[in-house]
């Protein structure tokens, strides 16, 4: 009998549910490059209203929404300030340099979270020797930080500082809804703090494709132009937008289950003699380190033979992510496999 694969590599591996597929099949579509796909417009409107932002733009990926934001906010030679492990800097193929010709000043944040004081210390004086500090990016939740989320007050402080110093403030909210569920914060409060926000529909929300960029009407107007240049303008994209609408309607509140399962998996890992540290679990991401007795490659192979997939996340460091397609029996199976793991 073939074992069912338990894929904990990322929350991007989910497959559309029956309900989501039905919504996609039933979508009314048009040509979104001509601006007449009603389902894309419905998704963009829904997302904008949710955050109290003026306008929104549906894009193929979160990399594209982040990169468009950087491009619209900056001019070549400007400087972007973000955490050293930020997705926009670390995992987007050097896109800030490639697309925008901007430089980056990195901050050593606390598990991906930066403070107002750290931002302040990175702002360059007005002097022709220095790049112009232009944009601050915060990531919530933080991917490299192991799903850590911000204290809303810190985001408010950074936002205020940015306004006072003519800096733009972008939120990489690929997993914003995980932070929202964990904190109970209202998206309208978040919308007030940022000049632009990117949210992913294809992470914990379970859509197959897509991210949404939010901002002012003028910002989104410019963003639409950049999306076209990057080749991200799509035609009957309403089939994909329908999945996004379904995800926003049905898959936000259930993130709580993912967080609960992540915490329980964390306890299983803490009980393993070969696990030296489990990074505190705040949402749906687990990052843990293995002792020298358990080489990471061997551990990953052992799991793989048992039909469990996890991700190498640095030397002797492993990442697991819970999501929509991880079920209760799968957690039970993982518990068994971990218990039987020989050192
Ligand atoms: C996944 C992710 C993105 C976007 O990734 P895509 O794969 O391009 O959709 C952006 N930021 C963070 C923090 C992410 O985890």
């Amino acid at each position: 009998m073939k074992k069912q694969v338990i894929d904990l590599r990322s929350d991007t591996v989910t497959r559309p549910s029956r309900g989501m597929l039905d919504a996609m099949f039933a979508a009314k579509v048009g040509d979104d490059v001509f601006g007449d796909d009603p389902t894309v417009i419905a998704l963009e409107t829904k997302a904008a209203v949710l955050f109290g932002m003026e306008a929104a733009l549906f894009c193929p990926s979160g990399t594209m929404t982040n990169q468009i934001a950087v491009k619209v906010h900056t001019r070549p030679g400007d400087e972007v300030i973000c955490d050293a492990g930020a997705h926009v800097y670390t995992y987007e193929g050097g896109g800030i340099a490639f697309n925008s010709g901007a430089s980056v000043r990195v901050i050593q944040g606390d598990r991906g979270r930066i403070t107002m004081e750290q931002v302040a210390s990175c702002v360059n004086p007005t002097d022709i020797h220095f790049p112009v500090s232009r944009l601050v990016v915060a990531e919530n939740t933080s991917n490299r930080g192991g799903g850590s989320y911000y204290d809303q007050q810190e985001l408010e402080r950074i936002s205020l500082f940015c306004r006072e110093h003519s800096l733009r403030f972008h939120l990489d909210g690929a997993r914003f809804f995980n932070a929202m569920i964990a904190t109970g914060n209202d998206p309208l409060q978040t919308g007030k703090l940022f000049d632009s926000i990117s949210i992913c529909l294809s992470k914990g929300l379970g859509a197959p494709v897509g991210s949404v960029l939010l901002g002012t009407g003028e910002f989104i107007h410019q963003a639409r132009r950049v999306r076209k240049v990057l080749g991200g303008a799509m035609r009957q994209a309403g089939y994909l937008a329908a999945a996004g609408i379904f995800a926003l309607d049905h898959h936000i509140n259930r993130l709580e289950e993912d967080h609960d399962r992540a915490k329980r998996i964390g306890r299983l890992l803490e009980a393993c003699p070969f696990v030296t540290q489990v990074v505190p679990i705040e949402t749906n991401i687990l990052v843990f380190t293995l002792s020298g007795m358990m080489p990471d490659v061997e551990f990953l192979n052992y799991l793989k033979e048992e039909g469990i997939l996890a991700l190498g996340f640095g030397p002797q460091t492993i990442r697991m992510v819970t999501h929509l397609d991880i079920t209760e029996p799968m957690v039970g199976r993982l518990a068994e496999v971990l218990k039987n793991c020989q050192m």
Side-chain angles (χ1 to χ4, degrees):
M1 196 184 80
K2 204 168 175 304
K3 278 192 230 103
Q4 185 185 27
V5 172
I6 302 173
D7 196 342
L8 293 160
R9 288 173 301 169
S10 175
D11 46 9
T12 56
V13 301
T14 57
R15 309 287 163 88
S17 63
R18 190 69 246 174
M20 185 177 277
L21 286 171
D22 287 345
M24 294 170 77
F25 263 112
K28 295 206 171 31
V29 297
D31 187 327
D32 186 50
V33 182
F34 289 128
D36 58 22
D37 187 305
T39 310
V40 172
I41 293 169
L43 170 65
E44 290 174 346
T45 305
K46 189 181 180 67
V49 167
L50 188 61
F51 286 85
M53 308 285 271
E54 281 176 22
L57 185 69
F58 182 50
C59 291
S61 71
T63 298
M64 192 181 283
T65 46
N66 278 342
Q67 291 298 321
I68 290 173
V70 174
K71 182 70 184 165
V72 174
H73 287 310
T74 64
R75 302 181 62 81
D78 284 353
E79 197 152 78
V80 178
I81 298 169
C82 64
D83 179 74
H87 194 284
V88 69
Y89 171 64
T90 305
Y91 290 130
E92 297 184 9
I96 293 178
F98 190 96
N99 297 310
S100 302
S103 68
V104 183
R105 179 79 72 90
V106 298
I107 292 171
Q108 299 299 332
D110 166 33
R111 293 177 54 209
R113 293 163 299 201
I114 57 179
T115 65
M116 186 273 270
E117 284 75 14
Q118 286 176 314
V119 170
S121 73
C122 289
V123 176
N124 292 324
T126 310
D127 173 322
I128 59 165
H129 292 88
F130 302 117
V132 175
S133 306
R134 184 78 69 188
L135 172 67
V136 177
V137 179
E139 187 175 308
N140 199 22
T141 64
S142 164
N143 183 350
R144 280 235 49 111
S148 55
Y149 56 80
Y150 273 89
D151 172 8
Q152 189 77 0
Q153 278 178 350
E154 194 58 51
L155 292 176
E156 285 167 12
R157 293 174 75 236
I158 301 172
S159 176
L160 191 64
F161 179 87
C162 287
R163 295 237 158 117
E164 286 170 355
H165 294 81
S166 302
L167 294 160
R168 310 284 177 82
F169 194 20
H170 172 72
L171 172 65
D172 179 354
R175 294 188 180 82
F176 167 79
F177 294 105
N178 294 92
M180 185 188 97
I181 289 296
T183 59
N185 288 334
D186 180 351
L188 289 172
Q189 294 305 113
T190 296
K192 287 190 188 126
L193 304 181
F194 294 92
D195 297 294
S196 56
I197 295 177
S198 160
I199 55 165
C200 286
L201 303 165
S202 60
K203 297 275 167 83
L205 295 193
V209 173
S211 286
V212 180
L213 182 62
L214 302 140
T216 63
E218 175 53 30
F219 172 85
I220 292 298
H221 175 70
Q222 291 178 43
R224 197 174 290 279
R225 178 172 276 281
V226 177
R227 185 186 68 173
K228 184 68 187 154
V229 174
L230 296 178
M234 300 180 286
R235 302 293 180 174
Q236 284 70 43
Y239 292 115
L240 301 174
I245 292 171
F246 185 90
L248 290 172
D249 284 338
H250 298 96
H251 293 165
I252 294 180
N253 288 330
R254 64 151 306 287
L255 291 170
E256 183 76 56
E257 285 176 42
D258 297 344
H259 297 179
D260 175 61
R261 291 199 178 107
K263 289 198 176 82
R264 281 188 288 130
I265 293 171
R267 287 198 282 276
L268 296 173
L269 289 165
E270 274 162 4
C272 292
F274 53 85
V275 170
T276 46
Q277 198 213 343
V278 181
V279 174
I281 295 149
E282 300 189 20
T283 52
N284 69 328
I285 302 178
L286 294 122
V287 175
F288 57 96
T289 47
L290 302 169
S291 75
M293 290 123 120
M294 178 65 81
D296 49 6
V297 176
E298 268 176 47
F299 179 68
L300 287 170
N301 280 338
Y302 166 76
L303 290 181
K304 200 169 177 181
E305 276 163 25
E306 297 292 335
I308 297 170
L309 304 179
L311 201 67
F313 211 53
Q316 290 295 92
T317 308
I318 309 290
R319 188 184 81 168
M320 290 180 174
V321 186
T322 56
H323 53 76
L324 197 56
D325 291 353
I326 295 299
T327 61
E328 215 37 50
M330 290 180 181
V331 178
R333 169 97 186 104
L334 175 65
E336 224 174 275
V337 168
L338 287 174
K339 210 182 318 161
N340 295 334
C341 188
Q342 303 290 324
M343 0 193 339

